[in-house]
Amino acid sequence: MLAVFVGNMVMFCHWLACFWAFVAFAQAHTYDFTKEGVPPTWISAWYESSYFPGSIDPIGWSNDVDRYALSLFWAIQSVTSIGYGNIAPVSRVEFYVANALMLVSGVFWAYAIGNIIQILDHVHSSEVLYKVKMDSANSLINCFAPTDNPSREPDYGVGDSEMLATRIRRFLTSQYHKTARLDLSSEFNSKKLVEVYPMIEHLSPELRQLSSLHLLRAFLEKIPYLSSKYLSPDEQSEVAFKCVFIEFGRGETFYEHQKYGRGIMILKNGFCMASRKSNHGHKRWYTRGNPIGISDVLVDADCLGRDERRRLLFYSYCLALYIPRSVILDVLKKKPRIWKDCARWCYLRACLLKWAREKSGKRLNSDIYEIP
């Protein structure tokens, strides 16, 4: 935005300077403006009143750069309404032209001031929002129940209040720094597609569908039973609108969504580490674009067992796409062929690996071989 504004400003002053110099030439019909018999112009008047040896010299064909610099000087002071007064119209034509150009310059300068204010407001908006969020977070932290005995071990599942306060502030800080590089990142707080991109709601049904596919189809293609091999564009678009964007701060852990339950997660940025309680020694790293939980999500929680739940630990600010299990089951219910051709093999694979871990006690990784 700043580059466009500066470019427009330079171009306007350039054409204003060229036109102002052309007005003088059109009257004199020569570049020797001080020659005897040549009608007076603003250039000859400036030369007689302000020129001294060693300064710019607008007289003569070869001095086109100096002539342009003098015209540009008049154009800039007219646009910015400075008006030093050392360059002024002389003839009737120049007065009429100068009046018109100054009116246009005034309008452009008002436009320029508006753009400057808009640019400054845009630059500081994220910082102001960060300070407001941090103030709200501090108010929230001050309302935490105080710890009666600092030496006592924190309650399981609750944690220490001071540690939680540090994590909240660190999350907001990482979100702020990420927003500086990604304008929409402040909107990704467990929200659906239409909440992240509100403009989609104002589009026609066809454009809504196409927009959702362009945004999320590449991620759905990574999941075999949600790919275009089995789902039509309409069906993929329907799934896309039911997906959820979630963001995580560095150091956060995740088992399942409190509202949507278990599901498949695909990182859009950042990286995390996955582990299981039953196989705690083996850990796997996930980066951008790697789906997490393609097979396990098909197995019921009771069958999978609590110890088989995948624990995700985030080592950086992460933005993830989350596909709830309920959405996947709805698709399989409507399209039995997907279960027969693809999904049941993912289900069987998850069950066999779970059985193998229980029987052998070996540290097997359920994600060594992802379904292509």
Side-chain angles (χ1 to χ4, degrees), residues 54-70:
S55 177
I56 60 174
D57 185 2
I59 307 301
W61 166 260
S62 60
N63 295 335
D64 52 344
V65 176
D66 286 354
R67 192 161 45 252
Y68 173 76
L70 186 64

Side-chain angles (χ1 to χ4, degrees), residues 7-41:
N8 291 337
M9 190 79 173
V10 171
M11 288 302 298
F12 182 80
C13 292
H14 165 74
W15 288 113
L16 199 66
C18 292
F19 190 77
W20 186 235
F22 174 76
V23 170
F25 174 77
Q27 296 177 92
H29 298 288
T30 180
Y31 291 105
D32 189 0
F33 296 96
T34 58
K35 185 178 179 180
E36 186 177 353
V38 175
T41 61

Side-chain angles (χ1 to χ4, degrees), residues 235 238 242 329-338:
E235 292 167 334
E238 184 179 350
K242 295 179 181 179
L329 295 182
D330 288 342
V331 172
L332 298 179
K333 185 177 180 181
K334 295 177 182 178
K335 307 268 291 188
R337 175 174 169 266
I338 301 179

Side-chain angles (χ1 to χ4, degrees), residues 274-284 286 296 307-310 349-369:
S275 62
R276 300 177 191 271
K277 189 175 181 180
S278 63
N279 193 16
H280 189 68
H282 190 92
K283 300 177 177 61
R284 179 176 179 182
Y286 287 91
D296 292 350
D307 292 345
E308 291 293 321
R309 291 192 309 165
R310 183 182 278 103
R349 173 178 170 274
C351 293
L352 288 175
L353 287 173
K354 175 181 178 294
W355 175 82
R357 282 192 296 269
E358 292 176 348
K359 290 295 182 180
S360 64
K362 295 180 180 179
R363 296 176 177 179
L364 300 177
N365 180 14
S366 65
D367 288 325
I368 291 178
Y369 304 105

